Amino acid sequence: MRLGKNPTRPKTRILTAGEDACRLLEHLRGHGPDYLSGPQVQALRQIVLQNYYRDEKGRLRWRTADGGGLPPSSVAIISPYDVQARYARRGQVTRWKGFLVHLTESCADEGTNVITDVATTPATTNDAQALPGIHTRLQRRRLLPAEHLVDGGYTSLVHVAQAASEHQVTVTGPLPGNLTRQHRENQGFGRDDFHIDFDRQQVTCPQGQISKGWHGPYPTSSPTAAPLIVARFTKAQCQPCLVRNQCTTSRDSARNVGFPPRKLLDLQAQARAEQQSPAWQRRYAVRSGIEGTVNEFAHGHGMRQCRYHGHRKAHVQHVLTAIAVNVERLSVGLLPDELSPARPPTAFQNHLDHNGIPRLRSWRAVTS
Ligand code: SF4
């Protein structure tokens, strides 16, 4: 059901559509289970479940965040035509519906850069979760790099460590900053002010107190977050402490310190120190070239418009686009400049030239 910009009685129309859909599903159920098994009926059932609920009196209601609750965006159907497409948000301005494509290209100093991998994931999937698949495919094709430059979305500690141990690939990219309150407000004792002794399973605080409990590592609910070890100080230690206000706001006046396992903590410290160096920043600057490639896919080949329905078919479109880009790049690289045939001007360009109107060169002309 589509509503115009200013529909009359929108709520009534939405509820009427819901009642119609429920009646249709009941009608199909009455004809037997075979009528309910098709993909379109299943999609309708899911859409009804995700958009409506029955209140305590059995009346159909339209779901909102406050009434009935909304499904998580990772499962919410946003189009009856493509039930695998998802709605995603990045930052304050980026919004899109569909999928997410991850492009990997070579970036050697010399020679043509070619696309070596294309991954298509649901739009709501965290970028870092695409890394293991990318490295496995690159290894199968014998295209695995020694160093993989990525943006900050891909650098989860877990996946950086996994790439190093399973594929011997150094993932280089800015690690997410320290998100603790103390670090944000630049005051108080943050985790780095505590000394962690993994061998004795003890943490020493800035006041010289030694933790009384060591728990974990606990797995986290996020697939990209590192497991967490928690060291606990007791009320008896923290309550009389003169600098307690700089350390904890907890109600029971005792500080807990959370940190990842030793291997991940060392990796994090090393990466954070390294990324401050000018050598690292020079090396990492090469990554920005991929933005031009994304632009080439999006504006030169219409990648932001899915021509097909479904995750698998969208992926085929992305792979075919990458093949076209590679063929185009390699064929330009093979032709010496003097042999490149000049493209004749179009009728529109002739018209601009004829009237003395300056015309902008396209991105293709600019890069050639
Ligand atoms: S509040 Fe507790 S953990 Fe924090 S500095 Fe004081 S004694 Fe140490």
Side-chain angles (χ1 to χ4, degrees), residues 2 13 32 35-36 58 66 73 84 92 107 133 136 155 190 203 209 242 245 270 284 287 309 339 365:
R2 285 178 194 275
R13 294 171 68 180
Y35 284 83
L36 289 175
D66 299 327
S73 54
Q84 294 175 331
Q92 295 298 316
C107 55
T136 303
T155 52
V203 173
Q209 294 287 341
L242 297 177
N245 290 346
Q270 185 193 336
Y284 184 65
R287 192 213 67 87
H309 292 159
L339 293 182

Side-chain angles (χ1 to χ4, degrees), residues 3-318:
L3 295 177
K5 269 192 182 160
N6 296 305
T8 51
R9 297 183 298 140
K11 273 195 178 173
T12 310
R13 294 171 68 180
I14 286 168
L15 287 175
T16 307
E19 294 284 9
D20 288 348
C22 290
R23 203 167 304 128
L24 178 58
L25 287 169
E26 277 162 26
H27 185 70
L28 290 167
R29 194 176 297 122
H31 277 71
D34 286 354
Y35 284 83
L36 289 175
S37 59
Q40 286 166 321
V41 180
Q42 285 300 320
L44 179 63
R45 209 175 138 262
Q46 282 294 320
I47 290 167
V48 169
L49 275 176
Q50 291 186 357
N51 288 280
Y52 300 95
Y53 71 102
R54 294 216 177 260
D55 64 15
E56 58 284 355
K57 291 185 179 160
R59 287 174 302 200
L60 196 71
R61 296 281 183 200
W62 188 30
R63 282 186 186 275
T64 59
D66 299 327
L70 295 171
S73 54
S74 58
V75 296
I77 295 174
I78 50 149
S79 162
Y81 304 107
D82 190 341
V83 293
Q84 294 175 331
R86 295 289 177 264
Y87 176 74
R89 280 190 298 187
R90 288 275 167 97
Q92 295 298 316
V93 287
T94 310
R95 312 266 185 277
W96 78 98
K97 294 171 182 170
F99 304 95
L100 189 58
V101 61
H102 307 266
L103 302 173
T104 310
E105 71 174 347
S106 60
C107 55
D109 289 342
E110 290 175 4
T112 307
N113 294 337
V114 291
I115 311 298
T116 53
D117 188 75
V118 179
T120 308
T121 60
T124 48
T125 304
N126 189 294
D127 289 346
Q129 286 176 271
L131 271 188
I134 293 172
H135 291 152
T136 303
R137 286 187 297 277
L138 289 177
Q139 187 166 42
R140 209 167 47 224
R141 296 179 201 132
R142 300 185 187 178
L143 292 173
L144 209 55
E147 185 175 31
H148 190 176
L149 305 177
V150 296
D151 71 35
Y154 294 84
T155 52
S156 98
L157 263 185
V158 177
H159 290 93
V160 172
Q162 187 182 355
S165 63
E166 290 182 11
H167 299 286
Q168 291 73 53
V169 173
T170 304
V171 174
T172 300
L175 278 188
N178 191 332
L179 300 175
T180 59
R181 178 182 58 82
Q182 289 89 349
H183 194 267
R184 261 197 333 268
E185 296 171 3
N186 198 22
Q187 58 182 9
F189 301 138
R191 188 191 69 196
D192 297 343
D193 297 311
F194 290 73
H195 174 73
I196 301 168
D197 184 338
F198 282 94
D199 294 328
R200 293 185 181 170
Q201 299 200 332
Q202 286 178 342
V203 173
T204 308
C205 81
Q207 290 297 97
Q209 294 287 341
I210 294 173
S211 61
K212 299 290 185 197
W214 180 281
H215 308 274
Y218 297 114
T220 50
S221 55
S222 161
T224 57
L228 196 68
I229 297 172
V230 179
R232 294 191 198 287
F233 292 85
T234 62
K235 207 168 161 178
Q237 289 175 302
C238 296
Q239 214 158 34
C241 176
L242 297 177
V243 291
R244 197 181 70 215
N245 290 346
Q246 294 179 52
C247 191
T248 179
T249 53
S250 110
R251 244 180 291 157
D252 63 2
S253 310
R255 173 77 190 248
N256 295 331
V257 187
F259 44 90
R262 182 190 299 203
K263 201 173 125 198
L264 296 182
L265 189 68
D266 291 347
L267 181 69
Q268 187 181 51
Q270 185 193 336
R272 280 188 177 153
E274 206 185 354
Q275 67 195 34
Q276 303 303 325
S277 73
W280 185 94
Q281 284 165 6
R282 261 196 311 280
R283 227 168 61 236
Y284 184 65
V286 176
R287 192 213 67 87
S288 61
I290 195 71
E291 302 300 346
T293 301
V294 171
N295 199 35
E296 185 179 350
F297 271 71
H299 298 117
H301 299 279
M303 187 179 62
R304 292 211 170 112
Q305 190 68 42
C306 265
R307 296 178 179 88
Y308 315 102
H309 292 159
H311 185 163
R312 291 167 69 179
K313 289 184 182 177
H315 180 59
V316 170
Q317 176 188 335
H318 298 152

